[in-house]
Amino acid sequence: MTLTIRSLAELQQYEGQELGTSAAHTITQEQINQFAAATLDFQWIHLDQERARAESPFGGTIAHGYLTVALLPYLWAQLVVIENLKMQVNYEIESLRFNQAVLVDSAVRLRAKLLSVKDLRGIAKARIEVVLEIEGSKKPAYSGVITFLYHFQ
């Protein structure tokens, strides 16, 4: 279920709470290839399926770590919809730790907790604990804290 928030006061009501888990998203080789093209990161571990099967410790290609981070806005929007905004700004990523590689065709999902909300003269500074879970794995792809600034109308 997606949570809809319409104001700074509503956002503050969820401080300290788990906000849920997104739907699963499968990372395909095509998505990895497109990310490589967009970022000019052409490491064989991501793109060369035959070599990765033969030489990598993972037995196949893996998603770029930053591809999994780039999925944050998409997965976050499945958990929380913020309305009545003038603007939203990605402000900070703090203590992000990559814990495990995401193999091609793995399904990932975001779990999030709203750690804190500060009122900066009408702008909400929201710190969110994020964990990117990999379906079928005990260890997440990454965990950390992100901060968004919400400029409400």
Side-chain angles (χ1 to χ4, degrees):
M1 184 173 117
T2 305
L3 178 64
T4 300
I5 294 174
R6 295 175 182 88
S7 68
L8 171 60
E10 281 185 31
L11 183 60
Q12 289 172 321
Q13 291 175 7
Y14 294 96
E15 192 169 7
Q17 294 184 34
E18 285 278 339
L19 300 175
T21 304
S22 73
H25 172 78
T26 300
I27 298 178
T28 64
Q29 188 63 53
E30 180 183 358
Q31 187 175 29
I32 293 169
N33 295 347
Q34 290 173 346
F35 188 83
T39 60
L40 307 177
D41 183 350
F42 300 107
Q43 291 187 65
W44 66 268
I45 194 81
H46 305 299
L47 303 174
D48 189 333
Q49 293 174 302
E50 288 181 29
R51 184 175 177 190
R53 267 192 294 279
E55 296 181 31
S56 88
F58 308 109
T61 55
I62 60 171
H64 301 73
Y66 289 117
L67 165 57
T68 64
V69 173
L71 289 172
L72 268 169
Y74 168 74
L75 297 171
W76 172 248
Q78 294 179 23
L79 299 176
V80 179
V81 173
I82 309 285
E83 295 181 346
N84 299 321
L85 283 181
K86 289 186 228 177
M87 178 173 46
Q88 173 183 333
V89 175
N90 297 327
Y91 182 73
E92 180 177 39
I93 297 176
E94 103 188 47
S95 66
L96 184 73
R97 180 178 304 254
F98 293 101
N99 300 305
Q100 181 167 300
V102 177
L103 299 171
V104 66
D105 296 325
S106 292
V108 296
R109 63 182 170 265
L110 181 69
R111 185 168 37 88
K113 177 180 181 179
L114 182 58
L115 296 176
S116 65
V117 179
K118 287 189 180 173
D119 182 354
L120 306 176
R121 294 174 296 192
I123 298 169
K125 181 180 179 183
R127 291 181 66 245
I128 303 149
E129 178 183 272
V130 293
V131 177
L132 190 71
E133 300 174 339
I134 305 167
E135 218 168 68
S137 176
K138 291 180 182 174
K139 202 172 189 182
Y142 62 74
S143 56
V145 176
I146 61 169
T147 303
F148 293 134
L149 298 180
Y150 294 112
H151 299 248
F152 286 95
Q153 293 184 14

